[in-house]
Amino acid sequence: NGIYNDFAPQDFEENGQLVGIQPDIVLALSEVMGVKVNNVSVGTFDSLIPGLSSGRYDISSADFGVTKPRLGQVDFVSEFAVGTSFATKNGSGITIDSASDLCGHTVGVLSGSYFIDQVNQASADCAKAGKPAVTLQTYQDDGARLLAVANGRSEATATTTDAMAYAIKSQSLPLTLQKFVYKPLELGIALKKGSSLGPAMQAAMKEIVS
């Protein structure tokens, strides 16, 4: 199981161990299925789907948003829906009450994440409305993404609502969590296209959430 190791509270390392919501879900699934899982710590999120396709990982529970492009590459076992939130540097004067408030600003996101598609969609909507486009910036890890908005390189940053709130609180970051929440998206555990594990994992998921 390939797990991105820098996305608290979903999946991250603590005292050398992978912990968080995603490892806990996979552990519960494995107990229902009667199998053992070997979690592999992965430092680059955008390497996970290629790792599935190549057979390096059998599954990847790494907070994947279920999007049409990804459905063309891998299968998913559905988990739950979560919205996207934005944060800005304290004192920046930027308020994000709607997607249109992103127009003309730079927004930093994690490389390979579905937030890229969401920001690009917001930017396209800005252009249709005759407003300045959103400038997208991507970062290879979450630490760099958060640092970029804290030091002013990015004017705003986007990630899941839970991860954004957790990061600001746990790291005492000089960031303001904006009230606006962008379209909630279903998250899922990714599997290689056509994997026989899919139906069994989906059945186990129904059992643990019932």
Side-chain angles (χ1 to χ4, degrees):
N1 175 28
I3 302 183
Y4 179 50
N5 61 17
D6 189 25
F7 197 64
Q10 291 285 342
D11 27 70
F12 61 107
E13 284 191 353
E14 188 173 77
N15 299 322
Q17 298 294 319
L18 281 166
V19 297
I21 296 170
Q22 293 299 330
D24 287 349
I25 289 175
V26 171
L27 176 60
L29 291 174
S30 70
E31 290 175 345
V32 171
M33 296 171 66
V35 298
K36 292 184 178 181
V37 176
N38 177 32
N39 290 326
V40 179
S41 179
V42 181
T44 51
F45 181 81
D46 56 6
S47 70
L48 290 169
I49 287 181
L52 284 170
S53 299
S54 69
R56 184 175 184 180
Y57 314 119
D58 295 307
I59 66 171
S60 181
S61 57
D63 234 38
F64 284 108
V66 180
T67 64
K68 286 184 179 180
R70 285 177 177 167
L71 284 169
Q73 299 176 285
V74 295
D75 291 338
F76 284 102
V77 173
S78 295
E79 294 179 292
F80 47 83
V82 66
T84 297
S85 285
F86 300 84
T88 55
K89 186 177 181 179
N90 293 347
S92 69
I94 299 172
T95 300
I96 302 172
D97 290 328
S98 68
S100 64
D101 289 330
L102 298 172
C103 300
H105 293 298
T106 56
V107 180
V109 301
L110 180 66
S111 179
S113 67
Y114 65 84
F115 310 112
I116 293 173
D117 294 336
Q118 291 183 329
V119 171
N120 283 336
Q121 180 60 61
S123 185
D125 292 341
C126 291
K128 288 179 183 177
K131 297 181 178 181
V134 182
T135 300
L136 177 71
Q137 297 172 324
T138 59
Y139 297 93
Q140 281 296 314
D141 61 74
D142 252 39
R145 174 184 66 83
L146 291 167
L147 179 61
V149 71
N151 65 22
R153 182 178 178 187
S154 297
E155 293 176 287
T157 187
T159 191
T160 58
T161 299
D162 59 340
M164 190 72 81
Y166 185 93
I168 292 173
K169 183 177 181 180
S170 65
Q171 299 180 41
S172 299
L173 297 172
L175 306 180
T176 298
L177 179 65
Q178 300 289 323
K179 293 181 180 179
F180 173 64
V181 177
Y182 195 72
K183 304 172 184 177
L185 186 67
E186 185 73 20
L187 300 187
I189 298 172
L191 306 90
K192 186 174 183 178
K193 202 71 177 172
S195 172
S196 60
L197 284 172
M201 287 186 65
Q202 194 68 64
M205 183 68 74
K206 289 181 179 179
E207 184 170 334
I208 68 172
V209 299
S210 61

